[in-house]
Amino acid sequence: MSVRHAILGVLSAGPMTGYDLVQFFHDSVGFVWSAPQSQIYPELHKMEKAGLVRSTLALRGKLEKRGYAIAADGEAELRRWVEEIVDYPPERDPLRLRALYFDLVPFAAARSQLRAHIAYYERRLEQWQERAAALRELRAPLLEKRLALRAPEEHETMAALKAH
Amino acid sequence: MSVRHAILGVLSAGPMTGYDLVQFFHDSVGFVWSAPQSQIYPELHKMEKAGLVRSTLALRGKLEKRGYAIAADGEAELRRWVEEIVDYPPERDPLRLRALYFDLVPFAAARSQLRAHIAYYERRLEQWQERAAALRELRAPLLEKRLALRAPEEHETMAALKAH
DNA sequence: CCCCCCATGTAAGCTGTTACATGATTGA
DNA sequence: TCAATCATGTAACAGCTTACATGGGGGG
């Protein structure tokens, strides 16, 4: 149940609306944990019931918008979860599964699978590098919000991530 | 819906029981696509209804056992699926997600996370190497069954896998 | 005035997890 | 005779995907 913790993590940088969260899942946290909009709103409701977040209703004209902020219990839970060491999820890799049966199809088909695979990971790598660069230059909105902590620390986190 | 294709793949090496399949998912295909027993039996039923596999009832004493064999439609479907190029599943990495929030916990906690992570992957790598060695020496039961094709081909497949 | 963005939700359906349940056979 | 292995299933639930649904605000 990690959408929950991903949300807590984002909210730990500051309060925001469900919509904002959706955006972050689209282009920043989404890099490591993706979640669709249809999962975020219900989860926020559940989290509020569980006392992990608090919400306040605001208005923009007639439009209702609900701001969510992390609660004390939420912060505690987030920290607990980060420290917790758990088992890894079972392996499930569609390409490797396909690769097991490459002997069943023409060589050319296998080759284009692998080409597509390489292309995919090259794109991915580019995205990561771009993202890492952005973080180093402090261009990330969430990171900016976190500047209550000193910046170099985040750099190390990111370095660790990239090392992985 | 890839349990289905994983099962088809295993069955393409020869007919076997549900129980046999469970074993293979436990220690060979499971390396790339894990599936619990409670998923395999129902899936076999569905696949039989869909005409992808055929089953025959056999007895061992009073004990019923059902042998499953891949049907023509199943082979076709497997081949189709192997050739198909699809999008990658969304990213969802629990450790990387944790790593994003390492700044919230004591340094020591982050360090032991990373240590555990490294240990995990070292174990994993060992397992892969062992497995690869077994395949090269043709010690794998499924591979033995496939020796209707010439063996060197499988080597290449495995090489591709390892390269990945 | 129209389109894109902001903003929030619901519903059906599939996949996978955890746990429960049962019973026969084989070998030590 | 006892434990491990062979053998097959069911049920409840959690998590995620895809699609549907609605409506106001802001800028060109």
Side-chain angles (χ1 to χ4, degrees):
Chain A
M1 199 210 281
S2 275
V3 217
R4 172 159 304 194
H5 298 106
I7 291 177
L8 285 175
V10 179
L11 286 182
S12 74
M16 64 186 71
T17 68
Y19 185 82
D20 293 331
L21 276 164
V22 172
Q23 309 311 310
F24 282 119
F25 274 90
H26 190 70
D27 48 48
S28 86
V29 211
F31 269 65
V32 296
W33 197 279
S34 87
Q37 175 256 31
S38 67
Q39 216 187 341
I40 291 173
Y41 284 106
E43 187 62 29
L44 280 171
H45 296 327
K46 280 190 231 161
M47 287 166 77
E48 187 166 20
K49 258 181 223 158
L52 300 174
V53 298
R54 275 167 289 108
S55 80
T56 49
L57 198 60
L59 291 175
R60 203 179 53 131
K62 268 174 219 164
L63 195 57
E64 291 200 345
K65 53 191 273 185
R66 193 164 279 279
Y68 287 93
I70 192 166
D73 281 6
E75 290 198 56
E77 168 60 17
L78 178 59
R79 256 187 278 270
R80 191 199 60 69
W81 173 80
V82 174
E83 289 190 55
E84 177 192 44
I85 292 183
V86 289
D87 286 349
Y88 283 71
E91 206 64 44
R92 224 162 250 136
D93 184 324
L95 182 100
R96 278 205 270 256
L97 183 57
R98 269 192 182 76
L100 280 183
Y101 307 116
F102 274 174
D103 59 313
L104 300 176
V105 299
F107 180 69
R111 191 175 49 196
S112 46
Q113 284 284 349
L114 290 174
R115 290 255 165 82
H117 183 67
I118 290 168
Y120 173 77
Y121 273 100
E122 277 170 355
R123 245 180 301 124
R124 207 110 244 289
L125 183 59
E126 254 177 60
Q127 286 171 4
W128 273 97
Q129 281 165 347
E130 200 185 305
R131 176 112 190 102
L135 284 169
R136 266 192 300 274
E137 297 163 25
L138 305 183
R139 274 191 284 111
L142 274 183
L143 186 50
E144 281 169 28
K145 282 194 169 189
R146 284 194 219 265
L147 287 188
L149 320 150
R150 63 180 193 291
E153 246 175 59
E154 288 290 340
H155 282 210
E156 281 180 52
T157 302
M158 205 44 216
L161 238 182
K162 285 214 304 163
H164 170 88
Chain B
M1 201 210 281
S2 273
V3 218
R4 172 158 303 195
H5 298 106
I7 292 176
L8 285 174
V10 179
L11 286 182
S12 75
M16 64 187 71
T17 69
Y19 185 83
D20 293 332
L21 275 163
V22 171
Q23 308 310 309
F24 282 119
F25 274 90
H26 189 72
D27 49 46
S28 86
V29 212
F31 269 65
V32 296
W33 197 278
S34 87
Q37 175 255 31
S38 67
Q39 217 187 342
I40 291 173
Y41 285 105
E43 187 62 30
L44 281 170
H45 296 327
K46 281 190 229 159
M47 287 166 77
E48 187 166 20
K49 257 180 221 156
L52 300 173
V53 298
R54 274 167 290 108
S55 80
T56 50
L57 197 61
L59 291 176
R60 205 179 53 132
K62 269 173 215 163
L63 195 57
E64 291 200 343
K65 53 190 273 184
R66 192 163 280 281
Y68 287 93
I70 193 166
D73 282 5
E75 291 200 55
E77 169 60 17
L78 178 59
R79 257 189 277 270
R80 192 199 59 69
W81 173 80
V82 174
E83 290 191 54
E84 179 190 44
I85 292 182
V86 288
D87 286 348
Y88 282 73
E91 207 64 44
R92 222 161 253 140
D93 184 324
L95 180 100
R96 278 204 271 255
L97 183 57
R98 268 191 182 76
L100 280 183
Y101 307 117
F102 274 174
D103 58 313
L104 300 177
V105 299
F107 179 69
R111 192 176 48 198
S112 48
Q113 283 285 347
L114 291 174
R115 290 254 166 81
H117 182 66
I118 291 168
Y120 172 77
Y121 273 101
E122 276 169 357
R123 244 180 302 124
R124 205 111 246 290
L125 184 59
E126 255 177 59
Q127 285 172 4
W128 274 97
Q129 281 166 348
E130 200 185 306
R131 176 111 191 102
L135 285 169
R136 266 190 301 273
E137 295 163 27
L138 304 183
R139 273 190 285 110
L142 274 183
L143 186 50
E144 280 169 28
K145 282 193 168 190
R146 286 194 217 266
L147 287 188
L149 321 148
R150 64 181 192 288
E153 247 175 59
E154 287 290 339
H155 282 211
E156 283 182 50
T157 301
M158 206 43 216
L161 237 183
K162 286 213 306 160
H164 170 86

